[in-house]
Amino acid sequence: NVEQERRGSFVRLLSDCSPKLADLCRVCFHEAASLSASLPAMDAKACVFNYYAEDSPGLRWHRDIDETHENLQEGHGRPVVSVSLGDDCDFAYRAAHFSDPPQKIRLRSGDALVFGGPSRGMPHAVTRIFPGTRPKEVRMPGRINLTFRHHS
């Protein structure tokens, strides 16, 4: 599936990455936490590096399975910080259930998306990549997403 979807990913412990990545995660989270009282504390342990080719159809609808059922039930899902680099994409999500109507936002290079607490278990997908929309300083085609989370 990953090959057909023209994407790839790998996971690294945050402690094995440059400290600048941990700093990026911390800054993004603190900005989001200043705007939302419902976000639990951030405890990122891993960074997932996702790559999408320009002609990738994106990432299918899914719900992250790395959170405990108890945390989700109590609305205390540990936050995820997602940073976009390169080409724009449509990030689609549903309020709580796969049957809920989808909504979407366009993510551009440099955007950070943070979700946690009551929204942590929301179904979501990357439904479209917009080729050639990357900033001119980004020479590699496609999209890179850095996802910081508690564990992989």
Side-chain angles (χ1 to χ4, degrees):
N1 280 347
V2 170
E3 190 172 309
Q4 285 180 328
E5 294 174 2
R6 309 268 302 133
R7 63 181 181 85
S9 67
F10 63 91
V11 179
R12 292 287 181 268
L13 292 175
L14 203 48
S15 59
D16 293 338
C17 296
S18 166
K20 290 181 180 183
L21 288 179
D23 291 343
L24 175 63
C25 175
R26 200 170 10 266
V27 167
C28 293
F29 174 75
H30 286 301
E31 182 68 24
S34 73
L35 301 169
S36 173
S38 65
L39 277 175
M42 183 73 190
D43 185 24
K45 302 280 190 224
C47 182
V48 182
F49 295 77
N50 297 296
Y51 171 73
Y52 300 83
E54 285 185 305
D55 60 349
S56 172
L59 179 61
R60 296 176 185 174
W61 282 98
H62 67 284
R63 178 179 281 134
D64 294 339
I65 58 170
D66 67 342
E67 184 54 273
T68 67
H69 179 71
E70 293 79 21
N71 278 354
L72 292 175
Q73 287 296 101
E74 296 170 7
H76 298 127
R78 291 172 286 206
V80 169
V81 173
S82 173
V83 177
S84 295
L85 304 167
D87 287 333
D88 296 357
C89 79
D90 278 343
F91 178 85
Y93 61 96
R94 299 173 191 266
H97 307 284
F98 284 99
S99 59
D100 291 336
Q103 300 179 58
K104 69 179 175 181
I105 57 174
R106 181 123 174 216
L107 297 177
R108 293 181 166 81
S109 190
D111 285 348
L113 174 72
V114 179
F115 61 100
S119 67
R120 181 61 176 86
M122 71 180 184
H124 56 281
V126 173
T127 57
R128 183 172 176 197
I129 306 296
F130 295 89
T133 56
R134 66 189 180 278
K136 65 181 178 195
E137 299 82 14
V138 178
R139 291 187 274 182
M140 186 179 83
R143 175 176 187 270
I144 294 175
N145 170 264
L146 305 175
T147 301
F148 302 95
R149 55 184 354 128
H150 177 71
H151 52 87
S152 62

